[in-house]
């Protein structure tokens, strides 16, 4: 507990994604009071907190779904004003959701390219005809790069296992992100072995130079995979420390707000 | 980081089996469209055998079949596109009537004002498409912008439009008196022996098949039907897309309305009360999923054909066409029921 630092540390390398002193209220409910986080390229940062601590709200601010009442959002070292998910995506930030991230009736290839379809060259492309061969090739390359093997890229993703689907969702986010990938409880719906594979994937993603911000309740996994851990407590960042310095009991104590008494 | 070559870490034996790619033959035989097509063929054979001198399969009767299926096909294809995105439109039949009434009134007024035949008919087409598109846009706004369930929104619109069509025609007096060239030049015209309206409807169906199969618009439609939230999350403009689907279906209903007045040389205000439900039946029988995410345009064509073949065939062999309603209903239930039972979803 000795290395605990408050707020955002110095910003020598430009942040992949970050936020400083963000506040957000909904009517009389104050979801965020003073939330800060900083994720550098190649770094995995875990965002933890008890239920109602404001994790989801904070993530949505970073995704561009909510505009903060106060504070700054930073992408690629620049302060940005996000008005929609599309804004964040255009700036190179994409999200992997716990579930409902893919269209189950579409194939892996179609899901990876959803909203980013490649058209044929020439007249056919002018009519909006897709270049399936090119999309299949690039999807295959992207999956291979992350060491994801699937039995088929053309069957509907509903026929894949939960872990396979999550892998596809991660590959999709990585493909369209140039700065950072946000992950919302990426392992919550998965069995132990599949969730380990997803953790490996996070490392692969960070190794590609992207910032990874992961919201998770799986504290042992968080401490193993993350470089740093940020804890929100009642809408405020109360801990930002290297994961190596933390233990699960420390983390739990901070999350439920016992730290002040203990300190 | 793990090594860069793909190892089958994600593939577990039991899931491998489920997700294995199917051969083209397996896919063909697994498709509902194929089975409905075979049922159509069987029914054609049956009615040909039962009708006197095989008159069912005569060229004259085949043309009648094609002509009577044209309007139903346009409605069903439009509906299939909406169903693909998980939306309904129960007002398509009323839209057809309304479009034909507006066009008929416009044409009668133009004839009265001494306008030429060509420009009058063209105006009729434009009014049909425009009315259909406007009703579609209204439906789309209720559903996509105001978030009203599409079943409810279009049920409400069904009543509003039907009532409006009755008011506009002095309590349902069918409108006549527009250029007869509309019927001779289009409604009853054949091109290469095939009725022009049927050719038009089939061309539209083919175009929609291409859209669904090969374009981003088609992928987005299915994605929205499959998982609206996922579609929103990946940044698709869902509201705009749903709007455009309703406008598209509305325009196809308007086009069907144009065929209607060209075919009968009068509006048929009371002849389309069940048109929207028949379109639902045809699309769903053909394998389009009511829950969204799956469209079969081919299946929709065979589904429409099934209804038309039954209707016409039963009349020809001297059986009340009331049995057609029962038969289509039964096929609908059996087809969807079999699908449920054989579905391998976890």
């Amino acid at each position: 507990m000795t290395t605990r630092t408050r707020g955002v540390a110095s910003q020598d390398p430009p942040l992949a994604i970050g936020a400083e002193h963000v506040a957000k209220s909904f009517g009389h409910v104050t979801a965020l009071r003073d939330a800060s986080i900083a994720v550098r390229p190649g770094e995995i940062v875990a965002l933890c907190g008890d239920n109602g601590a404001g994790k989801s709200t904070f993530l949505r601010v970073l995704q561009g779904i909510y505009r903060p009442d106060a504070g700054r959002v930073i992408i690629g070292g620049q302060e940005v004003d996000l008005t929609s998910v599309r804004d964040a995506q255009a700036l190179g930030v994409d999200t992997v959701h716990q579930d409902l991230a893919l269209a189950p009736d579409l194939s892996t290839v179609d899901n990876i390219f959803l909203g980013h379809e490649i058209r044929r060259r020439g007249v056919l492309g002018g009519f909006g005809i897709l270049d399936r061969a090119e999309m299949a090739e690039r999807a295959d390359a992207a999956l291979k790069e992350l060491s994801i093997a699937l039995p088929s890229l053309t069957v509907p993703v509903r026929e894949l296992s939960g872990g396979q689907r999550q892998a596809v969702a991660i590959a999709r986010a990585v493909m369209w992100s140039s700065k950072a990938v946000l992950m919302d409880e990426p392992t919550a719906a998965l069995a132990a072995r599949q969730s380990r594979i997803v953790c490996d994937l996070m490392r692969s993603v960070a190794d590609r130079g992207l910032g990874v911000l992961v919201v998770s309740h799986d504290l042992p996994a968080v401490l193993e995979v993350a470089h740093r851990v940020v804890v929100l407590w009642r809408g405020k960042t109360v801990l930002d420390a290297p994961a190596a310095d933390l233990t699960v009991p420390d983390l739990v104590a901070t999350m439920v707000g016992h730290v002040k008494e203990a300190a | 980081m793990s090594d860069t070559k793909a190892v089958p870490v994600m593939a577990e034996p039991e899931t491998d089996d489920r997700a294995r790619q199917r051969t083209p033959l397996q896919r063909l035989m697994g498709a509902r469209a194929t089975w409905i097509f075979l049922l159509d063929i069987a029914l054609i054979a049956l009615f040909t055998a039962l009708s006197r001198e095989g008159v069912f399969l005569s060229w004259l009767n085949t043309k009648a079949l094609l002509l009577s299926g044209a309007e139903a096909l346009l409605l069903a294809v439009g509906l299939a596109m909406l169903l693909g995105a998980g939306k309904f439109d129960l007002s398509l039949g009323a839209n057809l009537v309304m479009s034909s009434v507006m066009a008929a009134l416009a044409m009668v007024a133009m004839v009265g004002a001494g306008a030429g035949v060509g420009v009058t008919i063209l105006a009729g087409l434009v009014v049909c498409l425009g009315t259909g598109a406007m009703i579609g846009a209204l439906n789309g706004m209720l559903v996509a912008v105001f978030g009203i369930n599409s079943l409810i929104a279009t049920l409400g619109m069904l009543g509003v439009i039907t009532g409006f069509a009755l008011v506009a025609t002095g309590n349902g007096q069918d409108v006549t008196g527009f250029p007869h060239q509309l019927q001779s030049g289009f409604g009853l015209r054949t091109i290469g022996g095939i009725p022009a309206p049927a050719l038009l409807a089939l061309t539209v169906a083919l175009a929609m098949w291409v859209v669904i199969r090969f374009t981003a618009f088609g992928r987005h439609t299915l994605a929205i039907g499959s998982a609206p939230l996922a579609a929103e999350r990946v940044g698709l403009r869902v509201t705009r897309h749903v709007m455009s689907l309703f406008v598209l279906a509305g325009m196809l209903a308007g086009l069907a309305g144009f065929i209607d007045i060209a075919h009968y040389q009068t509006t048929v205000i009371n002849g389309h009360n069940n048109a929207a439900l028949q379109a639902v039946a045809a699309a769903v029988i053909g394998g389009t999923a009511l829950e969204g995410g799956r469209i079969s345009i081919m299946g929709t064509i065979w589904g429409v054909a099934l209804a038309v073949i039954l209707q016409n065939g039963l009349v020809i062999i001297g059986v009340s066409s009331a049995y057609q309603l029962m038969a289509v209903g039964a096929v609908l239930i059996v087809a969807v029921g079999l699908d449920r039972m054989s579905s391998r979803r976890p």
Side-chain angles (χ1 to χ4, degrees):
Chain A
M1 300 304 284
T2 48
T3 53
R4 184 152 55 96
T5 52
R6 294 285 296 274
V8 179
S10 66
Q11 286 191 25
D12 329 328
L15 293 184
I17 189 162
E20 289 173 353
H21 311 298
V22 165
K24 178 74 186 169
S25 302
F26 302 95
H28 296 295
V29 180
T30 304
L32 296 175
R33 288 182 294 158
D34 181 12
S36 299
I37 197 164
V39 185
R40 291 179 182 75
E43 190 180 38
I44 303 173
V45 177
L47 177 62
C48 300
D50 204 2
N51 288 335
K55 303 187 298 286
S56 300
T57 306
F58 198 20
L59 195 67
R60 285 184 186 144
V61 166
L62 296 171
Q63 281 175 273
I65 296 173
Y66 297 150
R67 291 178 89 169
D69 299 336
R72 316 197 298 152
V73 174
I74 295 145
I75 291 176
Q78 305 283 316
E79 182 173 349
V80 292
D81 180 21
L82 306 175
T83 57
S84 75
V85 178
R86 277 183 290 279
D87 283 357
Q89 285 168 343
L91 291 167
V93 176
D94 219 325
T95 309
V96 177
H97 297 272
Q98 175 184 345
D99 53 4
L100 300 171
L102 303 171
D105 293 298
L106 299 190
S107 71
T108 297
V109 175
D110 286 340
N111 264 294
I112 286 181
F113 279 91
L114 194 55
H116 301 273
E117 290 84 358
I118 303 175
R119 288 179 176 193
R120 292 261 195 99
R121 272 183 277 275
V123 184
L124 285 176
F127 284 109
I129 304 294
L130 302 175
D131 190 340
R132 292 201 175 270
E134 171 83 15
M135 295 192 327
E137 208 170 287
R138 283 177 57 180
D140 189 46
L143 290 165
K144 284 214 171 84
E145 209 167 319
L146 291 171
S147 305
I148 300 167
L150 298 171
S152 162
L153 301 189
T154 54
V155 299
V157 297
R158 73 156 81 254
E159 299 184 13
L160 302 177
S161 73
Q164 288 170 338
R165 280 200 291 265
Q166 199 57 285
V168 171
I170 293 173
R172 190 203 134 78
V174 170
M175 187 140 180
W176 306 116
S177 303
S178 54
K179 298 286 190 300
V181 176
L182 312 178
M183 299 193 187
D184 187 8
E185 301 279 3
T187 60
L190 301 181
R193 184 163 149 264
Q194 297 189 321
S195 97
R196 212 178 53 240
I197 292 163
V198 169
C199 287
D200 288 343
L201 272 176
M202 285 184 217
R203 292 196 188 94
S204 306
V205 174
D207 286 346
R208 291 166 56 102
L210 295 172
V212 177
L213 191 163
V214 54
V215 173
S216 184
H217 273 114
D218 186 351
L219 299 183
V222 155
L223 289 180
E224 194 192 317
V225 73
H227 298 106
R228 280 187 309 115
V229 178
V230 169
V231 173
L232 278 185
W233 182 72
R234 293 190 189 169
K236 190 173 162 66
T237 295
V238 293
L239 176 76
D240 182 344
D245 298 347
L246 296 168
T247 63
V248 171
D250 287 347
L251 217 44
V252 172
T254 317
M255 280 165 59
V256 299
H258 286 169
V259 156
K260 291 209 169 64
E261 291 95 295
Chain B
M1 184 183 167
S2 46
D3 56 344
T4 47
K5 72 173 191 296
V7 286
V9 280
M10 305 303 293
E12 299 184 297
E14 72 272 23
T15 51
D16 255 9
D17 184 51
R18 288 196 311 161
R20 194 177 296 155
Q21 209 153 340
R22 285 174 280 281
T23 66
L25 185 67
Q26 277 174 324
R27 249 181 302 162
L28 186 68
M29 296 321 284
R32 179 98 61 73
T34 310
W35 296 104
I36 299 302
F37 173 71
L38 294 176
L39 181 59
D40 287 345
I41 299 294
L43 282 172
I44 289 171
L46 179 75
F47 286 127
T48 305
L50 289 179
S51 61
R52 208 175 322 126
E53 292 165 22
V55 72
F56 180 81
L57 205 56
S58 67
W59 190 234
L60 201 65
N61 195 49
T62 307
K63 280 199 291 192
L65 282 173
L66 286 169
L67 187 53
S68 59
E71 293 171 36
L73 182 58
L74 286 174
L75 295 192
V77 165
L79 196 89
M81 299 289 285
L82 281 170
L83 284 179
K87 306 294 177 204
F88 253 99
D89 190 346
L90 293 180
S91 70
L92 286 176
N95 186 336
L96 185 166
V97 169
M98 184 72 192
S99 301
S100 66
V101 163
M102 296 306 277
L105 290 174
M107 285 193 289
V108 168
M110 284 183 75
V111 168
V117 168
V119 69
T120 302
I121 290 176
L122 186 68
L125 176 64
V126 170
V127 171
C128 270
L129 293 176
T131 308
M134 258 163 54
I135 295 172
L138 209 54
N139 280 327
M141 206 145 79
L142 292 174
V143 173
V145 179
F146 295 106
I148 302 171
N149 178 294
S150 61
L151 207 59
I152 302 302
T154 59
L155 182 65
M157 284 294 285
L158 165 68
V160 172
I161 304 164
T162 306
F164 201 92
L166 291 176
V167 169
T169 55
N171 222 5
Q173 300 270 307
D174 275 311
V175 184
T176 56
F178 36 89
H180 64 85
Q181 287 90 339
L182 178 58
Q183 190 177 45
S184 54
F186 173 61
L188 296 182
R189 183 164 181 192
T190 58
I191 298 170
I194 299 167
L199 268 183
L200 180 64
L202 285 168
T203 307
V204 167
L206 183 72
M208 291 304 128
W209 180 76
V210 169
V211 165
I212 286 300
R213 207 51 200 275
F214 299 108
T215 70
F217 187 89
R219 294 294 100 186
H220 295 177
T221 303
L222 295 176
I224 290 167
S226 188
L229 188 55
E232 194 86 55
R233 279 170 168 177
V234 304
L236 297 188
R237 296 176 189 276
V238 175
T239 304
R240 190 195 285 182
H241 195 91
V242 170
M243 274 292 287
S244 59
L245 284 172
F246 271 102
V247 171
L248 175 68
M251 276 180 80
L252 295 184
L255 190 58
F258 186 70
I259 291 176
D260 205 48
I261 48 177
H263 181 180
Y264 298 107
Q265 193 61 28
T266 168
T267 59
V268 190
I269 293 175
N270 290 312
H272 301 281
N273 297 335
N274 291 323
L277 291 177
Q278 283 161 359
V280 176
V284 174
I285 282 175
T288 296
L290 211 54
E291 312 76 46
R294 246 181 319 139
I295 297 179
S296 173
I297 297 292
M298 282 299 151
T300 302
I301 295 175
W302 309 136
V304 169
L306 180 76
V308 172
I309 290 167
L310 276 167
Q311 166 92 40
N312 175 294
L314 290 171
V315 169
I316 279 190
I317 65 170
V319 177
S320 163
S321 66
Y323 289 101
Q324 182 251 7
L325 297 174
M326 293 189 206
V328 171
V331 171
L332 175 66
I333 292 168
V334 170
V336 174
L338 284 178
D339 218 35
R340 283 285 129 172
M341 284 196 287
S342 66
S343 110
R344 297 193 289 167
R345 277 179 223 167

